[in-house]
Amino acid sequence: MNFLIEVGVSLMIVASVLYLSYVVIPRSEVVKQFFLKNQNWLSPNHISSWRMWGGTPTILVFLYGVYIGSDLIVYLSIWVYVFLAITDVLDGVVARAYGLSSPQGARLDAGADKWFDLPTLFFLSAIPTPEPIYLIIAIGIAVPDIIGQSIRGRSSPPEAGIVGKTKTTVKFIVIYLMSLTHRYPEIYEILKLEIVIVALLLSALILAWMSMGMKTKWYNEYARKYIKEYLI
């Protein structure tokens, strides 16, 4: 029952933010004016910053709640983390809907994802029981993520592409599944999460290297033209 409540509230948070993003924001003039009047904390860059600086403290609170056995702390931290994760949709929607897009904002949005999910991958791979295979794959994901972010916008568009967005989504999903490891052993066994988690991490690893490669000068000056001309 606890698991169903946790997942149910998490899905409600995701659904609420998606509804706000894709139904309310495009249609409501009142909401538009509210966002525009409160740009000091509701601009796309500020929303990205919530994710950038909120992820690590939230996951540390989660791990503390697991350590002391506090369901309340664990649930609240999970729900805050889910909200921060889904703001990856909200900041882009606000930017496009209200004419607040910028190359700097696109870079911040993508960088915020790395600050948000990479530390979490490492924390959940090492605490409370170290999982060497998770750590190894997490390092393999971090390397191209960091390199890709450093060259973002030089030869490629500053905003995340479909490969990068897919990679981020996979990382968010696997992070939640990793959080179940020491809390719901019965769910862990039923869903065979020891296999699913490794499979998703490997998927994120492949996507991370693909995403980095698609930001390189070679890809954008040569490979992209070849793909468009001969394969599409």
Side-chain angles (χ1 to χ4, degrees), residues 98-146:
Y98 304 147
L100 300 173
S101 301
S102 69
Q104 295 79 10
R107 282 179 58 86
L108 175 62
D109 178 26
D113 293 339
K114 278 72 174 177
W115 281 94
F116 180 72
D117 57 39
L118 289 178
T120 302
L121 283 176
F122 284 106
F123 282 129
L124 294 181
S125 297
I127 304 172
T129 302
E131 297 286 352
I133 186 63
Y134 295 175
L135 282 170
I136 292 170
I137 301 175
I139 292 170
I141 294 170
V143 170
D145 267 4
I146 293 170

Side-chain angles (χ1 to χ4, degrees), residues 9-220:
V9 174
S10 297
L11 291 175
M12 287 176 59
I13 293 170
V14 171
S16 297
V17 175
L18 292 177
Y19 182 78
L20 172 66
S21 299
Y22 293 116
V23 178
V24 178
I25 286 177
R27 301 178 182 179
S28 174
E29 184 65 27
V30 173
V31 172
K32 175 181 179 180
Q33 292 304 318
F34 178 78
F35 272 88
L36 292 176
K37 288 179 181 179
N38 292 278
Q39 289 189 50
N40 58 327
W41 61 282
L42 280 178
S43 71
N45 288 358
H46 279 87
I47 296 172
S48 295
S49 295
W50 300 349
R51 192 165 66 259
M52 175 181 287
W53 302 116
T56 297
T58 303
I59 204 64
L60 290 175
V61 171
F62 163 78
L63 291 170
Y64 174 72
V66 172
Y67 177 74
I68 66 172
S70 172
D71 288 344
L72 179 61
I73 292 176
V74 168
Y75 290 157
L76 290 177
S77 57
I78 284 288
W79 294 331
V80 170
Y81 198 89
V82 168
F83 169 76
L84 292 173
I86 199 62
T87 61
D88 191 27
V89 172
L90 181 62
D91 53 9
V93 169
V94 171
R96 291 187 294 272
Y98 304 147
L100 300 173
S101 301
S102 69
Q104 295 79 10
R107 282 179 58 86
L108 175 62
D109 178 26
D113 293 339
K114 278 72 174 177
W115 281 94
F116 180 72
D117 57 39
L118 289 178
T120 302
L121 283 176
F122 284 106
F123 282 129
L124 294 181
S125 297
I127 304 172
T129 302
E131 297 286 352
I133 186 63
Y134 295 175
L135 282 170
I136 292 170
I137 301 175
I139 292 170
I141 294 170
V143 170
D145 267 4
I146 293 170
I147 295 174
Q149 184 64 23
S150 69
I151 63 175
R152 179 182 297 277
R154 296 182 186 179
S155 302
S156 62
E159 65 272 8
I162 185 64
V163 173
K165 291 178 180 178
T166 303
K167 172 201 64 181
T168 299
T169 301
V170 171
K171 285 194 288 185
F172 289 167
I173 293 171
V174 77
I175 281 170
Y176 181 71
L177 295 180
M178 289 169 71
S179 78
L180 302 178
T181 303
H182 301 285
R183 298 189 296 123
Y184 300 109
E186 67 283 3
I187 300 297
Y188 189 86
E189 291 297 326
I190 292 171
L191 298 180
K192 303 296 182 185
L193 291 185
E194 71 278 7
I195 298 173
V196 174
I197 288 172
V198 172
L200 289 174
L201 284 172
L202 289 173
S203 299
L205 175 66
I206 294 169
L207 291 168
W209 284 96
M210 288 177 58
S211 180
M212 185 201 74
M214 294 172 70
K215 297 182 182 71
T216 61
K217 183 177 180 181
W218 176 84
Y219 175 83
N220 285 279

